[in-house]
Amino acid sequence: MQVTFKDVTLSYDGKRDILKHLNFVIQEGSLVCLLGPSGGGKSTTLNLISGLLAPTGGHIFFDDADVTKKDALGRKVGMVFQNYALYPHLTVLKNIEFPLKMAKMSKADRTKRAKELAALVHVEDQLDKKPGELSGGQQQRVAIARALAKEPSILLLDEPLSNLDARLRIEMREEIRRIQRETGVTTVFVTHDQDEAMHISDQIMVLHDGHIQQFSTPKKLYASPDNLFVAQFIGEPVINSIPATALNHDLAGIVPDSILTQAQTAGIRPEALTLPQRALDPLVTLHGKVLEFDQFGRESTANIDYNGYQLISTEMSQLAHDTKELDFTLEKKGFFLFDADGKRIFGGDTPMVLVGDQSAQKDPAAAPTESGGDTHAE
Amino acid sequence: MKKVASILRYTILTLGALIMILPFFWMLSTSLKTQPETVQIPPVWIPKQLQWGNYVEAFKAAPFARYFVNSVIVTGVTTIGQLFTSILAAFAFSKLRFWGKNILFLIFLGTMMIPGEMLIIPNFVTLSNMHLVNTYGALILPWLASFFTVFTLRQTFNSVSDQTYFAAKIDGASDWRFLWHILVPMSKSTITAVTVLQVIGSWNAFMWPLIVTNDENMRTLPVGLQAFTTDAGTNFALLMAASTFVIIPMVVVYIFLQKYIIAGISNSGLKG
């Protein structure tokens, strides 16, 4: 089912808007993550899709049908809650059967269907146990089977992995991806864990402050963040962000003045700082002092002082341990400039027009910073 | 030191247990005494000859079979009715959203501070205007709602997460279905506890049945015990014999369900 939000606004108290004029389209059959810090409106958005909450303004469509006024049952959504919300007094089989029983399916049919679902999520040998006897991961599987039982129009998962330990979390996120692929059900997944989101989603919607910050593929979110918030939220270690003025001297004559004067903050991914001999597509060479250099196994972190600002690089494993000062390369990929509003004005998928570059005549200011196809908040 | 503390603890607990059991022992002992033995000083702890005949005599002294039926009817209907209204109210206060919910809850909570004795006269006047005195209606009607039960159940219902409620809604369960198929089974132990407390309370109720009934046919067991108290004094042996068979059903109920009663009371953080 394709889900469309048109100008959806939500306010609990009528004064402060929790969500502000949300517009987006979730494609049928895709797995979409709602990602953002707490209080950003992720769960609220999920509840609006589910029908547990009604928007204060705007319209919600499932395919072409306006479902704004319909409740969760009318929308036929399936939902998995953070604490799984299994019925503790019913066996696993009865839990999975419950929605089918409510839909008045005959006993034989619903048992058959419940067993199929149990097999899909790999709990077929736990059918007679009560939820309390299962591990967290198994409870999660049962909750997914129950949500899928009535062949939902859309499957919604509200922070489904946050109650699991680290190892199980990785296993279950692969499982969710597998189950989603096998069933082809449109899935929306809420998480505050960017790693989780980056690994399983077709598309990620970053929500913050009631606005969609960016809605695109994980790859694009990383390589081409629309704004400073997204750049800082996505990526581990966190992107280096320093005042653009610190780079003014080195970038003058390379990045056009029209951009440099607008730029407020520079974002540099830790892997965009390399040693000159390893550089792939250099933008400029910088000079700095080594503050700290750690190497552990295949990974290394160099902490470099550049014009009084600290920069972290993960690409300097070749660095000699006694290096005090060095020239290092700033790569084009992974370098962004943001204006005073935090909007990206240089780098990413904006065609890079450099000073003296004859091949591209386009005015960079007119270049689209947002690609078509994706939908953005206003 | 540890040993001393342990001995002290056991001594205190044993004393407490003895104090608790003493009235029951005295009741049983007296029920098997002869008339003079009941008032003898120094007190007779164990009668010389057990007077089992007291039980037969006591049972014949008043229509206890009738009283027993009355008590069963009143206790049964009161308990079931009160449980039904309380479960519905507790569900509303716990899971539904409606205008004035918190204010209403506070007002109801306030009613718990009104002593029961103060309600006797207004309730009696109301029921007598309804011509219900000397009927089951008078014995049952005032007890069909209990905010104590509502409050206790609401606390338990609150401990069932809203997510479970939403999950059931999404699964297609109506509020009614959710309440009886999910919430009530999940709150089994508290419901059992309040049921038992209510059964015991109803069964032992004395003041109210005494006031609203004067027809012998409408009396309940505790009121019926008055038969042994006359202007000429009280026949303690027969009274105690009758008391013994009046409380036996409650003792049985308590012994079988004490686990739930204790769990229920400690859950609600209130005394019963």
Side-chain angles (χ1 to χ4, degrees):
Chain A
M1 197 76 69
Q2 176 180 305
V3 178
T4 310
F5 269 43
K6 277 209 175 122
D7 219 23
V8 170
T9 299
L10 182 94
S11 162
Y12 287 119
D13 55 6
K15 290 173 209 134
R16 205 169 61 87
D17 288 342
I18 306 293
L19 294 174
K20 299 155 192 166
H21 303 285
L22 239 53
N23 286 290
F24 63 81
V25 177
I26 291 171
Q27 298 299 333
E28 167 147 22
S30 61
L31 197 164
V32 172
C33 267
L34 305 182
L35 177 68
S38 322
K42 308 175 300 265
S43 289
T44 309
T45 306
L46 194 78
N47 284 338
L48 283 170
I49 300 175
S50 73
L52 289 173
L53 270 178
T56 321
H59 292 274
I60 297 165
F61 297 87
F62 278 19
D63 285 342
D64 295 327
D66 186 338
V67 296
T68 317
K69 297 268 186 293
K70 282 193 180 167
D71 65 5
L73 188 55
R75 293 184 194 185
K76 258 195 88 184
V77 298
M79 193 153 173
V80 175
F81 292 87
Q82 188 173 355
N83 66 6
Y84 321 132
L86 295 173
Y87 310 129
H89 61 296
L90 299 178
T91 61
V92 167
L93 184 67
K94 289 261 163 62
N95 260 285
I96 303 175
E97 278 183 0
F98 188 78
L100 304 172
K101 191 175 165 190
M102 293 299 114
K104 305 209 162 55
M105 191 186 267
S106 77
K107 178 124 181 65
D109 285 352
R110 66 181 191 242
T111 306
K112 184 165 165 278
R113 172 110 184 98
K115 285 186 172 160
E116 284 168 17
L117 284 160
L120 173 74
V121 302
H122 301 328
V123 292
E124 61 271 45
D125 47 354
Q126 315 284 340
L127 291 176
D128 296 324
K129 289 191 183 163
K130 297 268 176 74
E133 301 167 55
L134 303 179
S135 69
Q138 286 169 330
Q139 291 188 28
Q140 173 79 81
R141 289 167 190 269
V142 175
I144 294 173
R146 186 182 67 182
L148 289 172
K150 55 179 182 179
E151 293 175 357
S153 53
I154 177 164
L155 178 64
L156 306 170
L157 302 109
D158 191 358
E159 306 231 10
L161 304 179
S162 57
N163 287 357
L164 302 176
D165 62 48
R167 187 182 292 262
L168 207 51
R169 205 175 309 171
I170 291 172
E171 182 191 321
M172 280 314 295
R173 78 179 184 211
E174 299 307 326
E175 278 294 281
I176 288 172
R177 180 82 255 202
R178 173 186 69 80
I179 293 163
Q180 195 269 336
R181 286 220 174 96
E182 278 180 32
T183 55
V185 63
T186 312
T187 303
V188 181
F189 184 111
V190 166
T191 180
H192 58 259
D193 182 344
Q194 48 144 322
D195 200 39
E196 216 163 276
M198 298 298 267
H199 274 90
I200 71 169
S201 335
D202 293 318
Q203 288 204 301
I204 295 177
M205 184 188 300
V206 181
L207 283 160
H208 174 55
D209 201 19
H211 286 291
I212 298 177
Q213 302 293 327
Q214 189 165 356
F215 184 26
S216 57
T217 60
K219 216 169 168 180
K220 190 157 173 270
L221 213 55
Y222 186 79
S224 190
D226 277 352
N227 57 43
L228 185 59
F229 176 82
V230 175
Q232 288 177 333
F233 193 72
I234 306 286
E236 179 63 40
V238 175
I239 194 166
N240 295 298
S241 40
I242 60 172
T245 46
L247 282 158
N248 262 355
H249 178 74
D250 280 316
L251 291 181
I254 296 170
V255 175
D257 278 349
S258 58
I259 290 179
L260 272 185
T261 49
Q262 285 179 57
Q264 168 112 1
T265 311
I268 307 165
R269 294 270 179 223
E271 68 274 17
L273 296 171
T274 57
L275 295 172
Q277 64 270 26
R278 311 275 300 177
L280 300 171
D281 188 11
L283 180 69
V284 67
T285 300
L286 308 174
H287 186 81
K289 282 180 224 143
V290 180
L291 293 173
E292 213 181 314
F293 179 62
D294 287 321
Q295 195 154 21
F296 20 84
R298 289 183 297 122
E299 291 174 28
S300 70
T301 332
N303 198 336
I304 297 162
D305 176 280
Y306 169 74
N307 286 354
Y309 294 97
Q310 282 191 25
L311 298 175
I312 303 283
S313 164
T314 52
E315 295 297 313
M316 295 195 178
S317 51
Q318 309 286 317
L319 196 66
H321 269 269
D322 52 357
T323 315
K324 292 274 178 288
E325 287 198 26
L326 80 169
D327 282 327
F328 57 96
T329 304
L330 175 59
E331 298 271 7
K332 282 179 183 164
K333 194 177 162 200
F335 173 68
F336 317 102
L337 287 171
F338 302 96
D339 68 10
D341 298 327
K343 203 169 132 118
R344 175 169 51 82
I345 51 172
F346 185 82
D349 58 6
T350 317
M352 258 191 204
V353 179
L354 304 176
V355 176
D357 191 343
Q358 297 303 316
S359 59
Q361 291 296 327
K362 275 162 81 184
D363 174 14
T369 53
E370 301 168 339
S371 75
D374 296 333
T375 317
H376 297 273
E378 283 160 21
Chain B
M1 248 343 265
K2 227 176 150 188
K3 210 174 169 191
V4 175
S6 170
I7 289 170
L8 199 68
R9 193 158 54 232
Y10 274 96
T11 313
I12 291 171
L13 287 175
T14 308
L15 270 175
L18 281 177
I19 292 169
M20 286 295 163
I21 207 102
L22 191 67
F24 289 95
F25 173 76
W26 190 246
M27 178 179 77
L28 282 174
S29 151
T30 305
S31 74
L32 296 168
K33 289 174 188 168
T34 59
Q35 183 77 353
E37 275 176 325
T38 61
V39 289
Q40 202 170 309
I41 303 284
V44 177
W45 288 98
I46 295 168
K48 284 204 183 69
Q49 203 165 12
L50 302 181
Q51 304 291 318
W52 294 103
N54 283 348
Y55 282 84
V56 181
E57 209 178 317
F59 195 77
K60 282 185 187 152
F64 276 109
R66 173 73 199 198
Y67 297 165
F68 183 80
V69 171
N70 287 345
S71 271
V72 168
I73 291 172
V74 170
T75 302
V77 177
T78 308
T79 306
I80 291 169
Q82 185 186 99
L83 214 53
F84 183 74
T85 57
S86 299
I87 286 174
L88 293 182
F91 171 67
F93 280 124
S94 172
K95 293 282 177 271
L96 299 183
R97 281 193 211 164
F98 55 91
W99 189 87
K101 172 169 146 176
N102 291 333
I103 302 274
L104 199 60
F105 189 76
L106 277 179
I107 293 172
F108 281 3
L109 204 58
T111 64
M112 280 176 78
M113 290 194 291
I114 302 172
E117 288 77 5
M118 265 181 67
L119 297 173
I120 288 178
I121 293 170
N123 277 348
F124 181 82
V125 172
T126 309
L127 287 164
S128 85
N129 285 339
M130 292 165 81
H131 304 292
L132 286 174
V133 172
N134 265 328
T135 64
Y136 286 127
L139 290 168
I140 292 167
L141 218 51
W143 311 110
L144 286 181
S146 152
F147 193 70
F148 171 73
T149 311
V150 173
F151 183 78
T152 311
L153 288 176
R154 188 194 83 123
Q155 298 305 96
T156 307
F157 289 175
N158 276 353
S159 70
V160 172
S161 75
D162 284 350
Q163 293 190 0
T164 307
Y165 177 51
F166 293 142
K169 285 237 130 156
I170 288 175
D171 284 345
S174 59
D175 279 349
W176 185 255
R177 274 266 186 175
F178 168 73
L179 176 58
W180 299 106
H181 288 245
I182 308 286
L183 199 55
V184 166
M186 281 176 77
S187 313
K188 204 171 57 189
S189 68
T190 307
I191 290 176
T192 312
V194 295
T195 306
V196 172
L197 289 175
Q198 184 52 37
V199 166
I200 294 175
S202 280
W203 187 267
N204 291 341
F206 175 74
M207 187 64 107
W208 183 252
L210 176 69
I211 288 171
V212 293
T213 57
N214 45 39
D215 180 348
E216 194 151 81
N217 278 329
M218 293 314 296
R219 294 228 152 135
T220 56
L221 285 171
V223 180
L225 294 179
Q226 272 192 308
F228 303 102
T229 307
T230 60
D231 291 342
T234 302
N235 185 336
F236 286 109
L238 296 189
L239 176 59
M240 289 303 138
S243 298
T244 305
F245 61 68
V246 165
I247 68 158
I248 280 174
M250 291 308 102
V251 172
V252 171
V253 166
Y254 186 83
I255 287 173
F256 280 104
L257 298 171
Q258 58 171 325
K259 182 178 88 182
Y260 294 105
I261 300 176
I262 292 162
I265 294 169
S266 43
N267 276 349
S268 72
L270 276 174
K271 287 191 289 176

